[in-house]
Amino acid sequence: MRYIPVIGLEIHAELQTASKVFCGCANEFGGAPNDRVCPRCSGLPGTLPVLNKNAVILAARAGIAVDGTVNNYSSFDRKNYFYPDLPKAYQITQFEHPISSGGFIEIGGRKLRIHHLHIEEDAGKLVHDDYECISMADYNRCGVPLIEIVTEPDFRTIEEVQQFVEQMALRLKYAGVCDARMEQGSMRVDVNISIMPEGSDVFGTRAEIKNLNSIKAIGRAIEYEIKRQSEILDAGGQVVQETRRFNDNHGDTKALRSKEEAHDYRYFPEPDIPPVFLSDEEIEEIRAQVPEMPNKRVERYIGEYGLTAEEAALIVSDREFSDFYDKSAAASGCYKKTASLMLVGLNKLLNENPTPVSELKFGTRELSELALLWEENKINSNSAMEILEIMYAHGGTPAEIAGKHGMIMSADSDAAEKAVDKVLAENAKAAQDYKAGNKKLFGFLMGRAIGELGKSANPAVIKEILNKKL
Amino acid sequence: MKLKELRKKLDNKEIGAVELTRENLDAIKGDVCNSYITVCEEEAISAAREAQLLIDSGKALPMTGIPVSVKDNICTKGIRTTCASKMLEDFIPPYDASVVEKLKSQKTVILGKTNMDEFAMGGSSQTSYFGGVKNPADTSRVTGGSSGGAAASVAAGLCAAALGSDTGGSIRQPSAFCGVVGLKPTYGRVSRYGLIAFASSFDQIGPIAKSAEDTGYILSAIAGRDENDMTARCGSEDFTALCGKLPKGLKIGLPKEFFEGSDPGIAAAVSEAAQSYKELGAELIECSLPSLEYAVSAYYLISSAEAASNLSRFDGVKYGHRSADGDSFMELIENSRSEGFGSEVKRRIMLGNYALSSGYYDAYYKNASRIRTKIKAEYDDIFSRCDIVLTPTAPTTAYPIGFQENDPVKMYTADICTVTANIAGLPSVSIPCGADENGLPIGMSLTGRYMDEKLIIAAADAFERL
Amino acid sequence: MISTEVTKHLAQLSRLSFKEDELAEMTNQMSDIIALMDKVCDFDNNVKTYAPKEEKFNNLRCDKPRNSYPTEEIIGNSKAVRDNCFVVPKVV
């Protein structure tokens, strides 16, 4: 029996705010245990939550980034359960009226829909000591603002899931919402997966998979689950609805020791936080803060500028890089050459010595000048790359550098003619063989001529003269 | 002596702040009513000294040097705050409640923390882990609750005024039983930051004093928007501004259901008291709050639901009583909670979880919430025709200690006259308006429009002057 | 009249435990209380549930980190602390 997986995702992303969502403790990573806490986030009696405005802004941006609808009215609810990493024994979340509804990301021509995204607070961390049989609770992470993004169960392949998660991470980074580092835990993905017989449209019972710390782990876990659930169904059994933990070392999932009963979370409206009202104008102001998303840029790069899909994907993989490209290419109008300069030249340099684009020793203006020089045939491609390297190391402007190093090609044919004559004289046999039919030798003769002229060699002019003389 | 007069005497140096504080501390030593759980002798004297310095430099503020008691569910930094519960017997908050900060910034003298029903749940102040409170008017009787210690401390002259808290009547009812004045402000008038939460959408801190003007005087000092409490949005003002200047032609509504639900003696006394307002040019108007019959149930469902959630944090792990038994996390917290909480608290938690639990939420919590909307609307309707609503504060006077102790339902239904003000978030003040055949105080409540404390205080003050 | 099963379930949600005799008394009391609460069950469904007045987005707290409390003040009231962490019996 062939089964189709039906997958939905719950993605938790830590918002990049300066302080926690309901108190003023700093929103940072790590720290000594319980050294970034206050009476509020450690659940002391008498304390009250105070909502962080920036958390609402970032959550709204996330909704906009995925084409969702930011709701004018949203409110908070309590989710009640007991666990040592939850000091108040309830989590403040949004159950009835989330900050954003709907949305989608298109992967491979399919719209993978988002049901909603909501704001909630993170819980603390537990460290277990097996020898002493104790768990130790550190509340530093309590109150870190999260958004939870809940998708519809639209996914049918592993690739769709992985690409969606990658896209989501990229969009959240673009929107300045989250740094989306799965390995560090700032973005966590839980997978809900069931399988159904091919041709059926009745969803099966789903299992929830947690502890997926990388895109690769997501793929392995889903693969394992499909196999596990298929075997159960083939044997005539039933898949149990449960939470399972992925084990990266073994590549399998195991049911978490089943709790005594399914939690009854007893959601009810959070009385300490009034509902929040965002006017349409305020939502538009937030929308203006969200830059163009990577998918729209890719459309533009391919459709309007004639870049290849690969080039486009590489450029948008970092927002600053893409912004730099946009500004520079728009100024010069040389879209292909700018792409070439950045992807071939700049990337190589950045790989050796990673630098934020904002800290480069040259700006978009210099890059667009360079692209223009190249486009107008005033310098050749080698020179272009060399100028880029020099600007990267020392700054300066392309015209300056080209002049200093004698890279300006002239359209003047005298020098070129002299050089070609010399080459043909020195390589008379090769010239003869070419005329006799060995066309490969043209490149050899070109190379010699270019070598004669050095940096100011203008390949186009040399080619023309050489062709004439042969 | 009213607080305004006390202020003058302090500023004129007729009375010294330290002397005044010592007088109160001495009186507390002779207290037979068990009004205080913790007395802060050292801190009080120290604060009185600082107050005197302020007075000497001519910079005294309204509450400088005034000795007050604070209900023991309001956090005081470095001073144990117990909520009259074994669960918090030795809990020492690392921070001050906002109202305490405000008072301290004026160099008010805090004499100590007063006794109460455990976690503010109750109407008798008999559920305290530290022993029940006796009514100074008759020590064989209850003070009412849950701010029984606060009311008794005022009635017995063990402080100049007190801070209590009111969730379903906990300031007003003990004030009525003890013969003093108690004010529950508009919901959102006084910050709840540092008030150990019982029912978050009902709780308010408020003053208990000997006169209506005094409650206004204190309210001005503790009220105000607070960045620590998103629900404290009302701001402060001079709440005594209309005292002695009660507008003529006041329309006073008497909702019949409240009188029908009280002891005939009480109903008669309060009706008669109402008549006196005619001398002040007021008009008495009969009106109705038809949903009153649902009020007690709706109040108990919502408040218990919020309480169940608010009290979930008490597990002995971060603070509070920690059981010696418990091999697993769940066992440990179950034991700590079962050992640390009294019966009434347990009942409320269970009721709250009942109302919120899967399958019951719609029928109980949601319906209670609808009733809340309706009661609010009915009050809006009354206030479109009246300026003040006048009712008995409690259906009975103070009953003997031990009476109806094991009858929760009877206790709950006795809240009928007070809970609607909490449900609707409206300000309400209780003042003595007479005594019953045993000489026990009878209280009447004046409830006002949203944020209209000034008017009800003035109306109460006017009654006192008659 | 509710059953002891219901009482036990509520006790579990509440993380409270009762001995057998306490359970019986609690069940009786809860039954009486719930009977009083049942009054709300037949209230008009057409009335909207209560919602407090909204807060304007602009009035929300500014995102500035403020001093956290010293660790000792936060853990100071706990009876079981190790390495500045709160200690509980090991959980899953």
Side-chain angles (χ1 to χ4, degrees):
Chain A
M1 172 84 86
R2 222 175 91 75
Y3 298 102
I4 308 291
V6 173
I7 300 168
L9 304 177
E10 280 163 24
I11 300 176
H12 289 89
E14 290 181 2
L15 301 180
Q16 285 172 203
T17 56
S19 61
K20 293 184 178 181
V21 65
F22 297 122
C23 68
C25 291
N27 179 12
E28 277 164 21
F29 183 73
N34 289 312
D35 88 334
R36 227 172 33 249
V37 294
C38 71
R40 273 184 240 270
C41 56
S42 42
L44 257 53
T47 53
L48 298 170
V50 185
L51 180 59
N52 181 340
K53 184 174 180 184
N54 203 22
V56 177
I57 292 175
L58 296 190
R61 283 204 216 151
I64 290 165
V66 298
D67 271 304
T69 305
V70 176
N71 296 315
N72 297 99
Y73 179 96
S74 71
S75 63
F76 290 84
D77 301 281
R78 291 191 189 179
K79 177 180 182 183
N80 298 280
Y81 64 96
F82 292 89
Y83 205 63
D85 65 359
L86 197 66
K88 299 190 298 295
Y90 59 85
Q91 179 198 38
I92 301 179
T93 177
Q94 296 185 300
F95 187 65
E96 291 276 0
H97 300 114
I99 182 73
S100 171
S101 308
F104 66 93
I105 292 182
E106 204 173 303
I107 303 284
R110 288 189 70 222
K111 269 195 175 132
L112 299 162
R113 298 166 302 160
I114 288 160
H115 182 263
H116 76 274
L117 67 85
H118 69 258
I119 301 168
E120 61 183 33
E121 55 175 346
D122 207 348
K125 274 212 174 85
L126 295 176
V127 172
H128 308 289
D129 182 336
D130 288 324
Y131 184 68
E132 302 263 349
C133 241
I134 57 173
S135 296
M136 294 177 289
D138 169 15
Y139 294 158
N140 282 349
R141 203 182 63 180
C142 290
V144 163
L146 302 175
I147 41 170
E148 180 175 338
I149 304 163
V150 180
T151 75
E152 300 283 11
D154 286 349
F155 302 84
R156 298 286 177 272
T157 70
I158 292 175
E159 294 70 38
E160 267 176 1
V161 172
Q162 291 173 317
Q163 283 174 40
F164 181 94
V165 172
E166 275 170 353
Q167 257 299 298
M168 179 63 78
L170 195 58
R171 291 201 191 187
L172 292 177
K173 284 193 273 200
Y174 263 59
V177 169
C178 170
D179 66 13
R181 294 200 243 176
M182 281 186 74
E183 289 79 14
Q184 280 206 9
S186 63
M187 190 171 95
R188 303 163 222 163
V189 178
D190 295 338
V191 168
N192 290 314
I193 173 169
S194 65
I195 58 176
M196 63 183 177
E198 196 177 19
S200 163
D201 57 2
V202 176
F203 291 174
T205 308
R206 63 170 198 264
E208 185 187 11
I209 316 298
K210 286 178 158 336
N211 195 41
L212 303 166
N213 296 325
S214 65
I215 302 281
K216 198 151 161 238
I218 292 175
R220 291 168 69 211
I222 295 175
E223 215 179 295
Y224 177 82
E225 267 302 294
I226 294 172
K227 183 156 169 284
R228 181 187 77 87
Q229 293 188 16
S230 303
E231 282 170 9
I232 292 173
L233 292 187
D234 282 339
Q238 282 191 326
V239 173
V240 174
Q241 180 172 342
E242 63 192 349
T243 303
R244 300 177 69 88
R245 193 170 182 280
F246 179 68
N247 183 314
D248 211 53
N249 291 330
H250 303 157
D252 64 0
T253 67
K254 278 208 165 40
L256 290 178
R257 196 172 320 156
S258 64
K259 292 147 188 177
E260 311 86 71
E261 78 293 328
H263 283 297
D264 180 357
Y265 292 120
R266 287 154 286 145
Y267 289 97
F268 71 99
E270 169 58 80
D272 292 329
I273 305 178
V276 176
F277 182 78
L278 275 159
S279 68
D280 288 340
E281 291 77 46
E282 284 164 337
I283 294 177
E284 286 319 300
E285 268 172 42
I286 297 175
R287 188 182 303 278
Q289 297 167 8
V290 179
E292 190 186 19
M293 285 292 112
N295 59 319
K296 286 273 185 292
R297 295 182 194 214
V298 163
E299 267 173 43
R300 188 158 48 88
Y301 296 170
I302 298 175
E304 287 174 39
Y305 309 159
L307 299 190
T308 66
E310 205 188 323
E311 286 172 326
L314 279 167
I315 293 177
V316 300
S317 65
D318 177 272
R319 179 197 156 176
E320 276 193 323
F321 196 84
S322 171
D323 286 347
F324 196 94
Y325 171 79
D326 277 335
K327 199 158 174 215
S328 181
S332 68
C334 311
Y335 294 98
K336 289 291 276 181
K337 293 224 159 39
T338 308
S340 204
L341 284 167
M342 289 185 72
L343 291 176
V344 177
L346 187 56
N347 257 352
K348 192 174 73 159
L349 298 163
L350 290 177
N351 281 339
E352 291 161 14
N353 191 8
T355 316
V357 140
S358 51
E359 286 172 31
L360 292 174
K361 294 200 170 85
F362 63 91
T364 55
R365 187 192 318 184
E366 284 76 31
L367 191 66
S368 68
E369 271 177 35
L370 181 57
L372 267 170
L373 279 179
W374 186 11
E375 178 78 17
E376 289 167 358
N377 235 348
K378 296 209 175 103
I379 55 175
N380 63 33
S381 56
N382 286 340
S383 300
M385 292 301 168
E386 218 180 303
I387 293 174
L388 185 65
E389 271 182 50
I390 294 171
M391 286 201 307
Y392 179 84
H394 307 294
T397 68
E400 240 173 48
I401 298 170
K404 198 157 130 197
H405 289 87
M407 291 166 169
I408 306 287
M409 301 189 304
S410 65
D412 173 21
S413 41
D414 283 348
E417 196 157 347
K418 281 212 186 84
V420 168
D421 287 339
K422 184 168 179 225
V423 165
L424 287 176
E426 289 172 358
N427 299 279
K429 178 154 193 313
Q432 263 185 335
D433 289 342
Y434 173 79
K435 284 187 200 160
N438 191 345
K439 298 299 167 192
K440 284 191 207 147
L441 289 170
F442 189 88
F444 166 74
L445 293 165
M446 271 279 296
R448 283 279 141 120
I450 288 173
E452 274 295 317
L453 287 168
K455 290 200 162 77
S456 61
N458 187 335
V461 171
I462 295 175
K463 189 172 169 185
E464 203 188 314
I465 296 175
L466 194 56
N467 264 326
K468 227 170 41 176
K469 303 237 168 189
L470 284 171
Chain B
M1 185 188 342
K2 291 198 184 168
L3 290 177
K4 281 190 179 175
E5 215 188 307
L6 180 57
R7 169 87 270 123
K8 280 207 192 88
K9 288 208 194 279
L10 280 165
D11 293 342
N12 290 339
K13 316 288 181 68
E14 284 173 57
I15 303 179
V18 179
E19 178 197 330
L20 177 62
T21 295
R22 281 202 202 281
E23 262 173 45
N24 280 280
L25 288 171
D26 287 340
I28 293 171
K29 287 196 177 81
D31 178 26
V32 300
C33 295
N34 200 22
S35 345
Y36 282 81
I37 292 178
T38 301
V39 181
C40 314
E41 191 159 336
E42 268 177 52
E43 293 87 350
I45 299 286
S46 173
R49 290 206 178 100
E50 288 186 26
Q52 190 61 54
L53 289 175
L54 210 56
I55 292 168
D56 290 342
S57 68
K59 297 206 176 96
L61 295 160
M63 291 296 289
T64 304
I66 307 276
V68 302
S69 70
V70 171
K71 187 174 179 184
D72 208 16
N73 58 354
I74 297 173
C75 284
T76 41
K77 183 172 176 175
I79 293 174
R80 81 171 170 166
T81 301
T82 70
C83 292
S85 177
K86 178 176 174 176
M87 180 58 88
L88 291 181
E89 189 176 2
D90 48 16
F91 172 64
I92 301 184
Y95 74 100
D96 276 324
S98 294
V99 296
V100 171
E101 256 185 40
K102 281 178 139 81
L103 289 179
K104 281 184 175 176
S105 75
Q106 295 201 22
K107 306 288 182 219
T108 313
V109 173
I110 295 176
L111 295 164
K113 311 299 293 298
T114 51
N115 206 350
M116 49 185 279
D117 275 307
E118 186 184 0
F119 279 103
M121 297 174 186
S124 64
S125 299
Q126 301 305 303
T127 63
S128 166
Y129 178 65
F130 299 93
V133 191
K134 296 187 171 78
N135 192 330
D138 175 342
T139 55
S140 71
R141 295 179 182 259
V142 301
T143 50
S146 61
S147 312
S153 70
V154 173
L158 306 176
C159 62
L163 287 191
S165 74
D166 192 309
T167 305
S170 292
I171 283 177
R172 294 161 286 154
Q173 185 248 35
S175 298
F177 277 20
C178 295
V180 293
V181 180
L183 169 69
K184 181 200 86 67
T186 304
Y187 182 82
R189 177 69 79 183
V190 179
S191 171
R192 290 180 299 117
Y193 185 70
L195 172 67
I196 297 181
F198 160 11
S200 316
S201 72
F202 296 127
D203 292 346
Q204 270 296 278
I205 295 174
I208 299 177
K210 282 241 160 80
S211 70
E213 187 190 83
D214 283 357
T215 62
Y217 186 81
I218 297 167
L219 185 62
S220 298
I222 60 173
R225 296 178 65 94
D226 185 14
E227 60 176 16
N228 286 315
D229 175 359
M230 292 184 79
T231 61
R233 304 193 263 187
C234 295
S236 188
E237 55 188 81
D238 177 6
F239 296 103
T240 64
L242 287 178
C243 287
K245 301 184 194 130
L246 190 69
K248 286 246 178 316
L250 213 57
K251 294 196 171 59
I252 300 179
L254 276 59
K256 56 179 162 52
E257 293 87 355
F258 287 75
F259 292 85
E260 285 159 15
S262 300
D263 274 4
I266 307 275
V270 174
S271 301
E272 204 185 302
Q275 296 298 319
S276 348
Y277 275 99
K278 287 193 179 146
E279 291 170 45
L280 298 163
E283 192 192 330
L284 300 182
I285 301 178
E286 242 224 28
C287 60
S288 164
L289 197 78
S291 296
L292 187 65
E293 60 172 311
Y294 296 102
V296 166
S297 310
Y299 164 75
Y300 273 95
L301 286 166
I302 301 175
S303 66
S304 301
E306 293 177 357
S309 180
N310 285 328
L311 268 62
S312 292
R313 65 188 66 197
F314 297 105
D315 54 17
V317 173
K318 294 101 54 186
Y319 40 77
H321 173 77
R322 185 184 182 111
S323 174
D325 302 315
D327 294 324
S328 70
F329 170 68
M330 290 307 176
E331 261 177 51
L332 173 69
I333 66 176
E334 231 170 67
N335 293 336
S336 302
R337 289 162 65 80
S338 305
E339 292 163 15
F341 288 141
S343 314
E344 182 58 32
V345 169
K346 288 180 185 171
R347 278 191 286 271
R348 304 277 183 118
I349 292 174
M350 304 257 285
L351 175 59
N353 280 319
Y354 182 79
L356 293 175
S357 60
S358 172
Y360 294 96
Y361 180 78
D362 285 348
Y364 291 98
Y365 183 89
K366 260 186 139 161
N367 271 340
S369 185
R370 293 187 177 106
I371 293 164
R372 183 170 198 172
T373 306
K374 190 90 205 314
I375 288 177
K376 206 156 186 286
E378 287 175 8
Y379 264 113
D380 286 343
D381 183 57
I382 293 175
F383 282 117
S384 69
R385 287 170 283 125
C386 307
D387 303 308
I388 289 182
V389 166
L390 192 159
T391 68
T393 301
T396 68
T397 52
Y399 46 85
I401 291 172
F403 179 68
Q404 83 185 23
E405 207 168 60
N406 291 318
D407 194 339
V409 170
K410 251 222 164 94
M411 297 282 288
Y412 297 176
T413 50
D415 289 337
I416 184 90
C417 297
T418 44
V419 294
T420 55
N422 303 85
I423 289 173
L426 302 172
S428 185
V429 62
S430 172
I431 50 171
C433 68
D436 73 358
E437 65 272 13
N438 295 321
L440 296 166
I442 297 174
M444 80 174 167
S445 280
L446 301 173
T447 302
R449 291 187 181 93
Y450 182 71
M451 299 222 290
D452 209 6
E453 285 90 337
K454 243 184 5 230
L455 186 62
I456 56 172
I457 288 170
D461 171 79
F463 182 85
E464 286 171 356
R465 291 168 197 248
L466 284 172
Chain C
M1 184 69 193
I2 60 167
S3 68
T4 41
E5 287 316 303
V6 174
T7 314
K8 282 191 189 147
H9 174 64
L10 293 178
Q12 191 164 55
L13 283 179
S14 311
R15 291 295 151 197
L16 295 169
S17 57
F18 297 102
K19 299 193 208 46
E20 280 308 309
D21 52 331
E22 290 172 322
L23 194 67
E25 197 191 346
M26 185 57 79
T27 304
N28 277 334
Q29 288 172 335
M30 291 306 296
S31 297
D32 290 341
I33 294 170
I34 288 169
L36 174 63
M37 300 303 127
D38 280 340
K39 188 127 179 70
V40 312
C41 288
D42 44 51
F43 195 74
D44 180 7
N45 263 16
N46 288 323
V47 177
K48 279 170 68 171
T49 53
Y50 175 74
K53 189 156 164 265
E54 299 130 21
E55 180 64 281
K56 287 203 197 90
F57 163 73
N58 222 21
N59 289 343
L60 297 178
R61 169 175 63 97
C62 171
D63 187 19
K64 250 197 304 222
R66 305 256 198 99
N67 294 333
S68 297
Y69 274 54
T71 308
E72 318 81 65
E73 291 189 10
I74 299 299
I75 64 177
N77 276 291
S78 175
K79 312 256 185 333
V81 167
R82 159 104 75 86
D83 301 337
N84 285 341
C85 291
F86 298 98
V87 173
V88 297
K90 187 162 170 291
V91 289
V92 167

